[in-house]
C-alpha cells in the first residue's frame, strides 16, 4: 500500500525534481505544495501531514512540551550567515568587530537565521549586550507583526521606532546594519546603495566552516506523530526523497550551468571548498550543529536551558 503525504515547503530550487515527479517512491506518494510563508502551526495544519518549519520554532515547541510535530533531521534550508549582515554602501563598517555599540536591525529576534548570525558575531566578541537591536519589517512590503516575540528589553532590544522599514532606516543612517534572511528587492542593482558588511564574506564563511565543520541549518522538516505511529518508516523515506531530489538537481545544475554567466565558477568553487557531504541529513552527521544551535538558544537567552539532541529528536533516539 502506498502512503500519501502532502508536504508544505518553500520554493527551493532543488525540490523541483520531487515536485515534478522525477523522484518517486514505491511506498510514499509525496504531494508538494509550495508556500510563500511557512505554516504557522504544523501540528494543527489540516492540509498537510508534513511541513518545512523553523528550527528555532521547533526547539521552542520541544522545550514547551509540545509534541504535536516530530522533527526530521533533514535541514531543508541551510546557509552561512556572514553574507546576511548588510549595511549602506558608503558605511565605513567592514568587519563584525566594528558593530560594537552600533544599531542593528533584525527581522525577528528568535528566528533561526538571526540566532545563527548572532552566534557568528559572538565569535568576534560582539554579543547581545554589545550592540543595540531593533526588530522590524525589512521593507514596506512586509507586514507589521510582533517580531520581538516577548524578548524585548528597553534600551537594548526594541521595536523599530515608528515601525519604519529597516531598509529605509539603513539608507537614512538610523541603523548601522541589518540582518536579512534574503536580499531585498533591488539589492542586486548597480546603484542599490547597500552592500554586505564583510567585503570578502565568502572567505569568512569558509573559515567558519573549517572551524565548526558544518553549514548552519535554519529549517527542518516536521511531520505529524500520528503518521509515524502508523508508518514509522515514512520519516526516513521522506528524508531520502528530499536528498535524492537535491542530488538530481545538483547534477542537472552542473550540466545546465548557463543560468547565470559565472554559475560554472561558483559550482567549481563549491566543489573545491566544501566536502561532498556538506549537506548530508541525519542525526549523526548533524549532531555537532544541533548541539551548537541548542546551546546558542540558551546562551542568547531564548531558552532557559540547553536541550539535548535526544530531547529534540526522541523519535530517532528511541529507535537507537
Amino acid at each position: 500500500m502506498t502512503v500519501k503525504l502532502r508536504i508544505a515547503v518553500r520554493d527551493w530550487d532543488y525540490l523541483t525534481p520531487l515536485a515534478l515527479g522525477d523522484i518517486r517512491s514505491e511506498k510514499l506518494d509525496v504531494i508538494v505544495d509550495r508556500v510563500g510563508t511557512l505554516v504557522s502551526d504544523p501540528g494543527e495544519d489540516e492540509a498537510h501531514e508534513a511541513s518545512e518549519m523553523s528550527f528555532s520554532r521547533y526547539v521552542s515547541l520541544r522545550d514547551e512540551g509540545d509534541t504535536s510535530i516530530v522533527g526530521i533531521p533533514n535541514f531543508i534550508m541551510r546557509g552561512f550567515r556572514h553574507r546576511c549582515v548588510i549595511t549602506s554602501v558608503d558605511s565605513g563598517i567592514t568587519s563584525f568587530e566594528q558593530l560594537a555599540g552600533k544599531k542593528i536591525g533584525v527581522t525577528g529576534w528568535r528566528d533561526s537565521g538571526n540566532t545563527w548570525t548572532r552566534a557568528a558575531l559572538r565569535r568576534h566578541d560582539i554579543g547581545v549586550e554589545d550592540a543595540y537591536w531593533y526588530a522590524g519589517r525589512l521593507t514596506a512590503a512586509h507586514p507589521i507583526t510582533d517580531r520581538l516575540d516577548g524578548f524585548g528589553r528597553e534600551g537594548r532590544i526594541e521595536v523599530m521606532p515608528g515601525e519604519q522599514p529597516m531598509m529605509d532606516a539603513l539608507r537614512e543612517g538610523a541603523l548601522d546594519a541589518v540582518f536579512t534572511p534574503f536580499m531585498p528587492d533591488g539589492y542586486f542593482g548597480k546603484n542599490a546603495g547597500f552592500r554586505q558588511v564583510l567585503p570578502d564574506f565568502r572567505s569568512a564563511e569558509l573559515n567558519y566552516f573549517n572551524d565548526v565543520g558544518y553549514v548552519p541549518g535554519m529549517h527542518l522538516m516536521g511531520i505529524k506523530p500520528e503518521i509515524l505511529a502508523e508508518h514509522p518508516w515514512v520519516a526516513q523515506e521522506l528524508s531520502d526523497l528530499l536528498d535524492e531530489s537535491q542530488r538530481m538537481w545538483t547534477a542537472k545544475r552542473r550540466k545546465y550551468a548557463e543560468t547565470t554567466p559565472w554559475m560554472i565558477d561558483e559550482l567549481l568553487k563549491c566543489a573545491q571548498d566544501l566536502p561532498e557531504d556538506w549537506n548530508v541529513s541525519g542525526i549523526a552527521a548533524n549532531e555537532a550543529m544541533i548541539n551548537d544551535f541548542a546551546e546558542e538558544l540558551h546562551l542568547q537567552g531564548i531558552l532557559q536551558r540547553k536541550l539535548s539532541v535526544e530531547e529534540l529528536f526522541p523519535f530517532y533516539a528511541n529507535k537507537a
Side-chain angles (χ1 to χ4, degrees):
M1 183 182 92
T2 301
V3 175
K4 183 172 291 188
L5 196 75
R6 184 176 290 275
I7 68 173
V9 292
R10 278 187 169 167
D11 200 11
W12 303 111
D13 57 0
Y14 75 85
L15 294 181
T16 301
L18 181 62
L20 294 179
D22 295 335
I23 301 296
R24 298 178 182 273
S25 166
E26 294 181 357
K27 300 189 298 181
L28 192 61
D29 180 15
V30 177
I31 302 168
V32 178
D33 284 346
R34 298 174 296 168
V35 295
T37 302
L38 297 184
V39 174
S40 59
D41 191 346
E44 298 298 323
D45 178 27
E46 297 181 358
H48 304 96
E49 290 76 42
S51 302
E52 175 183 354
M53 63 184 301
S54 158
F55 192 10
S56 63
R57 172 62 176 156
Y58 174 72
V59 175
S60 295
L61 288 175
R62 282 286 156 183
D63 183 56
E64 296 163 3
D66 188 325
T67 59
S68 64
I69 205 76
V70 175
I72 299 175
N74 187 304
F75 294 91
I76 194 167
M77 178 187 178
R78 293 180 187 260
F80 293 115
R81 306 306 297 171
H82 299 69
R83 69 191 63 191
C84 297
V85 187
I86 63 174
T87 188
S88 60
V89 72
D90 55 357
S91 166
I93 301 173
T94 57
S95 71
F96 283 170
E97 287 84 358
Q98 289 176 282
L99 292 173
K102 296 297 193 291
K103 296 179 179 179
I104 304 174
V106 296
T107 51
W109 185 253
R110 70 168 174 175
D111 291 356
S112 303
N114 290 331
T115 300
W116 279 120
T117 312
R118 289 191 297 269
L121 262 64
R122 195 163 57 79
R123 299 173 72 85
H124 295 265
D125 297 322
I126 305 298
V128 171
E129 305 304 320
D130 298 312
Y132 300 96
W133 307 88
Y134 297 89
R137 52 182 176 157
L138 191 61
T139 70
H142 292 85
I144 296 175
T145 63
D146 177 15
R147 297 174 186 272
L148 287 176
D149 209 10
F151 293 97
R153 279 192 286 133
E154 187 175 356
R156 182 61 62 188
I157 309 170
E158 299 182 334
V159 174
M160 192 67 207
E163 296 289 358
Q164 182 183 22
M166 293 191 299
M167 296 306 295
D168 292 348
L170 187 59
R171 183 181 291 106
E172 296 170 7
L175 290 176
D176 298 294
V178 167
F179 289 3
T180 177
F182 306 107
M183 298 304 125
D185 290 343
Y187 186 85
F188 295 98
K190 290 185 178 181
N191 300 310
F194 305 104
R195 61 170 174 81
Q196 271 82 11
V197 160
L198 301 181
D200 187 6
F201 60 84
R202 187 189 186 105
S203 292
E205 292 170 348
L206 183 57
N207 290 336
Y208 177 89
F209 179 85
N210 289 334
D211 193 12
V212 301
Y214 55 75
V215 178
M218 265 74 76
H219 295 173
L220 75 167
M221 288 301 298
I223 188 169
K224 292 180 178 177
E226 53 266 31
I227 300 295
L228 299 183
E230 187 174 358
H231 308 288
W233 53 267
V234 166
Q236 189 60 52
E237 188 73 8
L238 175 59
S239 183
D240 290 345
L241 288 171
L242 294 171
D243 290 345
E244 181 59 28
S245 185
Q246 187 163 46
R247 282 190 290 270
M248 178 179 285
W249 182 253
T250 299
K252 288 187 175 184
R253 185 165 50 182
R254 288 172 175 172
K255 181 177 181 180
Y256 305 114
E258 305 306 321
T259 53
T260 59
W262 293 284
M263 176 64 76
I264 189 71
D265 183 56
E266 174 64 17
L267 292 170
L268 287 168
K269 286 179 179 177
C270 284
Q272 293 166 2
D273 291 343
L274 297 178
E276 190 174 348
D277 63 349
W278 67 267
N279 59 352
V280 69
S281 301
I283 293 292
N286 291 283
E287 187 170 6
M289 186 266 286
I290 296 168
N291 264 316
D292 284 356
F293 188 67
E295 184 172 10
E296 282 300 330
L297 289 171
H298 174 52
L299 290 174
Q300 295 181 27
I302 296 172
L303 293 183
Q304 294 303 305
R305 67 186 183 94
K306 175 187 174 182
L307 274 68
S308 68
V309 174
E310 292 75 20
E311 288 177 291
L312 292 174
F313 297 97
F315 175 77
Y316 294 86
N318 294 337
K319 287 179 66 177

